[in-house]
Amino acid sequence: MPGLQFNEPLSWRVGKPIAVADLLRRLQSLSREMREMEQEEEHRDSFTKVARELVNHNLIAHKDKGVKALTASCLVDILRLCAPDAPYTGQQLRDTFNLIVTQILPALADPSNAYNNQHLYVLSSLAQVKSILLLTDIPSADILLKNVFQICFDVLSGSSRSMQGDQLRKDVELNMTAMLVTLVDESPTIPPEAVDIIVAQFLRTDPKAMSGSTSKNKKIGVVDEKQSTLTLRQLPPAYNMAKYICNAVPERMARHFSQYFNDVIVDASTASKEKVPRKSKKRHSDGADDSDDDLTGPTEEDLKELRKVHGLLRELWRACPGVLQNVVPQLEAELSAENIQLRLLATETFGDIVSGIGAAGLPAPPTLDPATYPSNALSDPSENTVSLNLLTTPSSPLPFISAHPQAYSSYLGRKHDKSPLIRAAWTTGIGRILTTSAGGAGLSQQDEDRLISDLCRMLADVDDKVRVAAVRVVASFNFRDIVTKLGRAGGVTETGTVLSTLADRARDRKHLIREEAMILLARIWGVAVGELSAGNEQISALVGGIPSKILNTCFTNDNEIMALLDRVFFEQLLPLRYPSVKAKGSKMTNGHSQNSGANSEEIMDPDKIRTERILLLARDLDERAKKVFYTMQARQQVLYKNMTGYLMRCENYNGGVVEGSEPDVKKSLTGIIQTFANWLPNPSQASADLWKFAKMHDRRSYQLIRFCMAPDSDYRTMIRAMKEFNKRILDPPPSMAASSGLLETLMPLIYRVSLIVYNKSHVPAIMDFSRTNEKSLAATAHEMLRDISSITPEVLKAHVQEICKTLQDEAPSARKTNEAGAVDNLKACASFAAKYPDEIPKDRKFVQAMASYALHGSPPEAAKYAVSIIWAASDKKELLVRDLAQNCTEGFGYGKEGFLARLATLSQLVLLAPNELDEEYTDAIIDIAIKQVLLQVRKPSTQPADAYEWSPTVDTEAQAKCWALKILINRIRSHPEIETLPEVAAPVYSLLFKLIDQFGEISPASNTPPTHKSRLRLLAARLYLKLCTSKSHDALLTPSAFNVLATVVQDSETPVRVGFLHRLKKYLNAQKLPQRFYTIPFLLAFEPSDTLRSDTVTWIKSRATVFSSVKAQSSSSKASIVLESTFARLLSILCHHPDYNSGAEDLVDFARYIIFYLQNVATEDNLSLIYHIAQRAKQCRDAISAAESDESGATSASEADDRLYHLSDLAQITIRKFEDLHNWTIQALPGRIRLPSTLFMEIKSHTEAQRIAERNYLPESVETGVEDLLKAMVRAAKGMGKKRKSEGDHHADGRDAKRSKGGLPVRKASAPKGVKGKKTAPSKVVKSPKSKKKKAEDATDPGSGERRRSGRVKEVEKSYAERDSDEDDEEMQMMDAAAEEEEAAEETDSASEDHGSANENLVEEQEQEEEEEDQFADELDKPEEESREDEVVPVEDEEPAPKTTPRSKKKQPSVSPRVKKAGPTKNKPRQTTSRRAATRGKANAKKITYHENDDDDDDELLSNPPGS
């Protein structure tokens, strides 16, 4: 092939230029010819002339862009054809590349340029021929090299793009990338500025970094803001080019990057080690230790630069991990830096690098919306959706764990960092590693389990910063990951798992952590509702227990937690906007229902969907949480009255313009505002907000609140009212001032008073579920219907006719049984009939159906409810009662069809209609109950006589005996004449005493089955309590019988103790029992069940709070000493306790009771009063033993007196040790305390009294034993409080500890009943002679010894005069008056104090039992009902009661739960008439309405045993 043929001149002399057109034509001709030529050695000489002319200054610096473009095109061809030896000098090459770099390459940014083809050709030639390498041969070419990189990246980034915005061709990016790769790979050196430019491209994924200033060393150049505009679906071309360069030559770039990051990181690390005086501008973490405080660390500017650099490291790992092989060790060294900021940056960076998170950060976190319907299921495609934003999608090209195992191991070691900030950042990091599966690289099973275990530990870290970080980490998981990753180790009910530890954070001592943990738990459960509804057992095992964990937080009795619980319950667990769909009747938009298998054409019913969620929640609750759930619903009715009273007072207040007596109106409003404020977290702020709301006087807001509370408001009306109320408070009308914080106070109250769960809109769906058992929710639906009928029967108005029609159609007969759910419908109708008897059908068919239930109903409770309905609604009740009595008594036979139903009917007839039953029927009924049922043993026991046990099931014979016992009790409850009541009740009280004292044994042959005895003993104890809710019946319970009743809380069977205590606490909450019954719970000092003990402790403390609030609002000093005054009664019970022994070891054991009392009642304010009571006990004699001695003809009761004096000294020394332990001071009381005259009597001889006061009755070793015991018990109690656990922990008193000095003694078990143990004589204390001065001191503080003589307690004037019953009545009236001072004359006033009990004990006392049936009799006989208001605070004193035959003088065996089995005694009590009862009978000789409020509770003994 011939050489170059072009022969036209391209240069000219000065003054004679070539025309531009000609010049362009010539250059184009030359360019075309050279493009077609190949590299040949023999023709290189033909290019010499052209090559010389092309580098002429006239062409290179020509003003025409076309000439420059064609010249550059020709020059690159010359370089191509003459390769590898360029025919130019160094200066000529500089001019050539200066033209290309400054003119041609920038012009590539404009694809619309007329000479764009020439520009592209130049770029292509430089890349393909690699002639760009000639640039490195030019001396001092660093600036040109830097400009090449700068211009190439600017062109691709678009910062120099044309105004038309045309897109660059893809080959521009490819050729530029190839050219730069060649430069980096082949150049001996690369200017640091070029490295900076490459590094800067990775900042394009972080808009925040792009907007920041440059570093002080100008290492990262300024990038135009336009370059930060990113396309989310693809990476920027400049970013791709930098990424390709780094991946193409990783070894070369690794060296440059290592030097680059070393300049920044090492410089900052070195600066952190320099110690200079701290400046205020320096950043120091609160979590840093003192050792870090004097290390100034990097400046703010250094930190800003470091953050940018560490962000680059994150992005570089995502893009080109190979270039960081030398940087990772530097970053690892930062993990051990002394400065906390450097460690924090390194820890955060490591976590993100392993997770594959770049500078753009994480994608938006998953949304766990509990109100979404249908809720997210595991099979939901949305759970697998991949983020379309490439910049935020975690990605790790290499598995960091295997690529850098040493660095990863060092990173894992940061979990032990001394700084909580580092541990918190580390926790966040491992959470990201888990959620991203190490950036998509995957985690081995071992690595994943290790991280999950570490996350679990971080949830329980000692520092709150770490715990809150761990909670937020769990919140970053989507539902699928929560199930498949976090749930793999177990669910919320399994100890040591992430979910269970997260549930523990709901009780955290920090409110922020409690709040976030509780909300997260509720959201997890809300999202899982779909799977729970579908019956997914795996999901149920993992998260089914979440509602129980949340509701159980109520047991903390903390107002802040209660307010949080209300918000979580109604915003997350049962969100008010659920289901967030269109109105009823609209078809589902996504084609599937809550259950994934539902028909796509199913019509969606929001009320049914919501009801299903409510039932699912209630179904999976544990027993404690279920109490909370149902108590929250019962609370609404109590608060409804309070809120009604508050709104009425606000209207009377009239915004401050009061008509009438302004002081009275303000006083009344102040009282109820204070009541509300005491239930909220910040009482002072709440009080101010409630006053502000009253002054706003927005009548529309008043009406909206009433809409929320009204039983006739459907769900939609209630929600709309709530939304409008929120809007009016946040954006009030112009006439009212806005208040930003008002909603924080009002909304918890609105939630509590609104009928949200038991709304009338939910009743039809609940009834449907109860009939169809859809999704196995029938049992829960029945249970909820029972509760609705008891609490808010008003919502059943629209459905009662339907219920009655169903009952009528399903009526049983001798050949047909009723449906299992009929008893719940009967209960609902009975509760409704008590309030609205006119709404119940009265036609003949319905009445006959109720009679059929009364004779053939199954279970027997159905018969009882049927009788209640007949009595409440029938017009011919007297005739029907006689017919039922005749049908039940004539031909009655045990075992015949319906005999249990007939017993239940008879028990209800003798209660409701005693006057309608003549003597013949009454005698027949008593004969059936006693002779045919109670005294018969049809299945004699073959076990020993002292056998005693509990069975979760109950046989027919036990059921029959329970109903027979109820017949006898109901008969005396309904006895109309108080004068004859003692005579009628005496045999029944004797029977109850025998059942309790002889452990349920009633048969003369002592062959009652052991399982019957436990149930009969529990029922007898509960019936005792029920009787004592009436004053006239309580007067018949003697102190000795009361002491025997109290020992039921120490029964050997846990269900018996639980059942009795639950009933006792319920009556005490309702203020139906005298205050002496508050003594019984303090016998739980040795309770082996941690749950029962913990619940009772919480209950006692809540009652103490109630009484203290009464004291704050009452002018009477006696209105708040209920628990304090029970200490005297506790000493009396212990004095007669069957386990009592005066040996030193046993006395120390008995000190447990006193310590248990002090731990739950004593405060610095009341300790002096308690101590004074203990002293007063030693100034009296035991009245119980004295009375029994007089009756039996005995000459002395000195043994009981000695017991009392031992206990008085023991109590005093225990109180003094308790005082020292708490650094309190016992003050002298200005007055004196009178002890109950039925328990204590005066010492008539002054000499005898002085002798007793001077004597120390305690053995010498008792004081040391009490001191050690007290310290151990207090320490154990504090440990339990720190753990915030009520079950699963070791017993608080450390009973299993070895007996040693400082250890806790083990309580000895007494011999069982029937086994006569060796009686231990009381220890006689040998006292050394004392001086008269010593005796005087001892008289002041008997039993304290020399060490306990304290000058802080002054001797109090002593009086041996005891109080009598009349004084007790006087005190009772004073306490009643004090409790009612805050109440106004309106009908709603009484609700305020009632709720003081209900709200403070929201979760401790409410039992899982049916509502009180007493409302039937109350509503029917209301005009004749005897007022019980005088028992709001019961009498202090015991009343004279019917005399009983004294108990056997042999030592009574223990009834403590420490005894495995205890047999009965053979005591035969006899009954006499009560003088006090007769006196009261004359004063109240009118017909009495008797409450049957807990017959349903006793019925549980026949079906679901308490605590089983």
Side-chain angles (χ1 to χ4, degrees), residues 1132-1154:
S1132 178
I1133 289 180
L1134 296 179
C1135 176
H1136 295 273
H1137 196 281
D1139 286 348
Y1140 179 84
N1141 190 293
S1142 57
E1145 187 174 339
D1146 291 280
L1147 286 174
V1148 172
D1149 264 5
F1150 261 64
R1152 292 178 185 273
Y1153 293 109
I1154 300 172

Side-chain angles (χ1 to χ4, degrees), residues 996 1021 1024-1025 1037 1040-1049 1060 1077 1080:
I996 295 175
Y1024 248 149
L1025 296 178
L1037 182 64
S1040 58
F1042 177 83
N1043 290 341
V1044 174
L1045 174 64
T1047 59
V1048 176
V1049 296
F1060 177 69
F1077 285 89
I1080 297 177

Side-chain angles (χ1 to χ4, degrees), residues 305 407 415 498 840 939 977 1041 1086 1129 1187 1192 1264 1464:
E305 186 67 22
K415 65 184 176 184
V498 172
I840 299 296
K939 296 180 180 178
E977 300 295 335
F1086 289 94
R1129 299 182 181 276
S1192 61
T1264 303

Side-chain angles (χ1 to χ4, degrees), residues 1181 1183-1198 1200 1446 1449:
R1181 292 183 59 203
I1184 300 177
S1185 298
E1188 292 179 351
S1189 298
D1190 294 342
E1191 293 175 6
S1192 61
T1195 59
S1196 174
S1198 60
K1449 289 192 176 182

